[in-house]
Amino acid sequence: MKPARIVFPAFWFGQSDIKQAEELARMGVGGFCLYGGTAAQTLKLTQRLNAVSPYGRLLFCADIKDDLSEVIKDAPALPKNRALVEYSSPEAAYRKGNLLGRMARAVGLDWVLAPIVDLGYAASSISDDPAIVSRLAGDMLAGLSNAGALTCVKYFPGVSGALKTLVQLEDAEFIPYKNLFRRTDAVMPSDMTFVNIDNDNQACLSDKVIKGLLRKRLNYKGCIMGFPLHAARLRYEEASAVKMLHAGVENILAPRDAFGVIAAIEREVNRGLLFDNMVQAISNHEMFISKVSSGPEPESISKAFEAARKSF
């Protein structure tokens, strides 16, 4: 059992070292989160890293807010999440999710870390109405899944509720999550502090939020993906990764120093800790690989991108 398998390092085209990425793949990381390449570059990299992995199959992630063009330079733009409410066709959200999944799979990406289901938070939110968010995000998830992509709803418990009481969160922010738990492959906690739940820790580091709320109160049984470490408001990456795992996160996403984070997790495992976390995370990882492998075959880049250009 390799602790490295629960780590998904970031790879930035034009910045990251391909030799280091290959070394990480040989060490047994579970996959990578990719940023800033063209479609052709991304597909080539995924093939190259799969070839040196001891598992023969990694999971590659796209951490997006609205659109694949955020991480793939030449991907066609799709409608913004907020605009989906305005389409007269009830299939618009499904179509966006399906096209997004098809494009992701065409370039070698397996896991689309979307959609955002926060209520009315920033431009990437779908709506401030929990019923509308539940419906349209559910349609997006169905489209992504039918395209063969893994999914992730975020950012629990809902950034718009950072100052709300637990009762207020139950009446609004929790509703999309409760409606979508059975339709998504993972949930990602926020990196914000929810002062009325745990004033001492950000949600992604809080066992009160993850174990107390997400697991116990809301009875979520699925995978919990860590907030991207490179983007989180955290001071110490290695310590934060370990604390995330103790709080109930299963996968560590996009650290800047993947080698240091892996070493920190290995030290914790060698102390006799986190064994159950490793077993659960690796079991989920195997299940996700099987799910992606048994899904529809990826299309060519040209076919998937052309479909996206013509559909809206």
Side-chain angles (χ1 to χ4, degrees):
M1 182 174 67
K2 294 185 176 182
R5 194 166 187 184
I6 67 168
V7 178
F8 289 70
F11 186 93
W12 287 272
F13 288 88
Q15 299 179 41
S16 299
D17 186 330
I18 182 61
K19 296 298 183 183
Q20 287 189 349
E22 288 181 321
E23 184 178 351
L24 287 165
R26 291 189 185 97
M27 287 172 63
V29 297
F32 289 82
C33 195
L34 306 184
Y35 298 90
T38 65
Q41 287 173 328
T42 302
L43 181 59
K44 183 177 180 180
L45 180 69
T46 63
Q47 294 168 339
R48 182 170 176 176
L49 295 178
N50 271 329
V52 299
S53 169
Y55 316 121
R57 183 69 166 84
L58 297 166
L59 292 174
F60 294 95
C61 305
D63 181 33
I64 66 170
K65 292 179 171 62
D66 258 308
D67 196 78
L68 195 65
S69 61
E70 296 163 28
V71 296
I72 305 296
K73 290 180 178 179
D74 52 344
L78 294 173
K80 300 292 187 183
N81 293 339
R82 180 70 73 170
L84 294 174
V85 181
E86 301 169 7
Y87 279 84
S88 57
S89 169
E91 297 181 354
Y94 175 89
R95 189 159 68 250
K96 176 178 179 176
N98 190 252
L99 292 166
L100 183 56
R102 288 165 62 186
M103 287 194 290
R105 298 285 291 119
V107 303
L109 297 170
D110 309 292
W111 206 338
V112 178
L113 303 177
I116 292 174
V117 298
D118 289 350
L119 303 183
Y121 175 69
S124 300
S125 301
I126 294 171
S127 170
D128 56 6
D129 184 325
I132 292 174
V133 173
S134 297
R135 175 173 58 84
L136 295 180
D139 289 345
M140 282 185 65
L141 289 169
L144 282 160
S145 295
N146 287 345
L150 301 171
T151 63
C152 177
V153 295
K154 56 191 186 184
Y155 301 95
F156 184 83
V159 176
S160 56
L163 300 178
K164 291 184 178 181
T165 65
L166 183 56
V167 172
Q168 290 171 322
L169 286 165
E170 288 272 17
D171 289 341
E173 277 74 14
F174 288 177
I175 291 173
Y177 289 98
K178 290 189 286 187
N179 288 334
L180 299 172
F181 278 161
R182 295 181 181 275
R183 305 182 68 177
T184 187
D185 296 297
V187 172
M188 181 186 293
S190 168
D191 71 332
M192 291 187 68
T193 301
F194 290 74
V195 294
N196 291 309
I197 301 170
D198 185 348
N199 194 39
D200 298 320
N201 296 289
Q202 291 148 287
C204 57
L205 303 176
S206 172
D207 58 359
K208 292 180 182 178
V209 171
I210 297 171
K211 293 180 179 178
L213 279 183
L214 188 54
R215 290 295 194 201
K216 188 174 181 180
R217 190 179 185 97
L218 299 184
N219 198 34
Y220 175 64
K221 303 295 187 184
C223 174
I224 300 175
M225 174 64 80
F227 192 93
L229 276 175
H230 78 90
R233 288 163 279 201
L234 302 169
R235 292 185 64 187
Y236 304 108
E237 195 172 62
E238 294 175 14
S240 295
V242 170
K243 188 169 185 177
M244 278 186 182
L245 295 174
H246 280 293
V249 166
E250 293 178 25
N251 296 311
I252 301 300
L253 182 67
R256 289 192 179 278
D257 179 11
F259 293 101
V261 166
I262 291 168
I265 296 170
E266 287 178 341
R267 288 193 295 269
E268 201 73 354
V269 171
N270 290 338
R271 292 174 58 206
L273 303 172
L274 298 177
F275 179 81
D276 290 343
N277 305 59
M278 296 294 112
V279 171
Q280 182 62 45
I282 291 171
S283 174
N284 278 338
H285 194 269
E286 293 286 353
M287 177 185 69
F288 290 148
I289 288 176
S290 177
K291 183 176 180 179
V292 171
S293 300
S294 62
E297 284 293 315
E299 298 172 282
S300 67
I301 292 171
S302 59
K303 183 176 180 180
F305 280 26
E306 185 63 19
R309 292 188 185 98
K310 291 182 176 179
S311 291
F312 283 95

